[in-house]
Amino acid sequence: MDNISYILYVCVLIPMLLSLFILEKRSRLVVGYILIGMTSCLFVSEINGYLYDDMNKDMLYFCTTVSPITEEIVKGIPILFYAFFVSNNRSKLVQASFAVGLGFAILENMIILTQNIDGITLSWAIIRGFGAGLLHSVCTVAVGLGISFVRMKKKLFVCGTIALLMLAMTYHAIYNTIVMSEYKYFGFVLPLVTYIAILVLYLVIRKAPKKEKQ
């Protein structure tokens, strides 16, 4: 990865880190996990760079087969950590999960922007925001929402968590496959449609009376 990626990361990291000392608890959770998502993006970009060079495969193969696996695993680690060691409160877990994907998407879009600055347009930014920008949050929030259910089921937790990660990887791979084909505009709409469905589901679950461990 070139130095500009680290420069972008540090430029955003420092003010957001300083804000953690002023923000209240709930806001601190979101901002903190956005930073974790950005760090995950930087880390997985290094991993993908090494794998891409070593595998000697074309970009289509790599983006539809390898990067969805590495990215969803790395993004899933902080979500599992939060569920295990911080809280299994569904609302907080979903917010943390969405924030991880959001942070990942923010830094990824910034890196791609700087790498293709001459060909960037406003329409590109809109499509990228609703497409790949929303994709990462959709995948992580789906994992987080699912973990909030399987977390309390010891017999289902391991297989359920693996299934959730595999679902995120498959969805990610399908998205990459579509956007790298002649039907790319359908791919850009996919995360938005999925986001709306997850949002409706989350709001319904949130209204249902349920006791959760804080």
Side-chain angles (χ1 to χ4, degrees):
M1 188 188 300
D2 52 26
N3 290 332
I4 190 65
S5 301
Y6 292 95
I7 294 172
L8 291 171
Y9 175 73
V10 171
C11 285
V12 179
L13 175 70
I14 293 175
M16 293 186 74
L17 271 179
L18 295 175
S19 73
L20 295 178
F21 297 101
I22 298 177
L23 296 174
E24 296 182 359
K25 188 174 182 180
R26 186 59 66 93
S27 300
R28 198 160 54 237
L29 166 69
V30 174
V31 173
Y33 272 80
I34 288 176
L35 289 176
I36 290 174
M38 292 175 58
T39 305
S40 299
C41 178
L42 199 66
F43 179 69
V44 81
S45 295
E46 293 287 358
I47 295 176
N48 285 343
Y50 287 121
L51 291 176
Y52 183 75
D53 293 337
D54 290 341
M55 294 180 68
N56 195 29
K57 298 289 185 178
D58 60 68
M59 184 58 70
L60 176 62
Y61 175 89
F62 190 84
C63 289
T64 56
T65 307
V66 180
S67 64
I69 297 175
T70 56
E71 292 178 11
E72 296 309 325
I73 289 176
V74 172
K75 288 191 298 177
I77 291 174
I79 300 172
L80 288 171
F81 178 87
Y82 188 88
F84 260 110
F85 301 107
V86 181
S87 173
N88 65 349
N89 179 283
R90 181 169 298 130
S91 178
K92 293 179 180 178
L93 184 56
V94 168
Q95 290 179 48
S97 302
F98 192 89
V100 170
L102 179 62
F104 192 103
I106 288 172
L107 187 60
E108 182 182 73
N109 282 347
M110 290 170 63
I111 293 172
I112 294 176
L113 171 65
T114 57
Q115 292 174 342
N116 304 274
I117 190 66
D118 293 333
I120 296 301
T121 62
L122 180 59
S123 61
W124 176 91
I126 295 173
I127 292 173
R128 184 78 194 177
F130 281 107
L134 194 55
L135 165 76
H136 292 293
S137 289
V138 164
C139 289
T140 52
V141 81
V143 172
L145 186 59
I147 288 177
S148 71
F149 288 100
V150 302
R151 170 70 177 84
M152 306 305 294
K153 310 289 185 180
K154 293 184 178 179
K155 293 183 179 180
L156 296 177
F157 182 70
V158 175
C159 60
T161 300
I162 294 174
L164 287 166
L165 289 174
M166 291 182 67
L167 175 65
M169 295 172 194
T170 303
Y171 181 93
H172 194 152
I174 291 173
Y175 170 83
N176 285 355
T177 300
I178 296 176
V179 298
M180 298 182 77
S181 71
E182 58 183 311
Y183 305 104
K184 59 183 179 181
Y185 293 107
F186 291 101
F188 293 134
V189 176
L190 182 62
L192 179 59
V193 174
T194 309
Y195 167 77
I196 294 172
I198 291 176
L199 179 61
V200 171
L201 175 63
Y202 173 65
L203 292 176
V204 170
I205 294 172
R206 192 176 181 182
K207 289 181 179 179
K210 183 176 268 190
K211 291 183 179 181
E212 293 180 335
K213 181 180 177 181
Q214 298 300 320

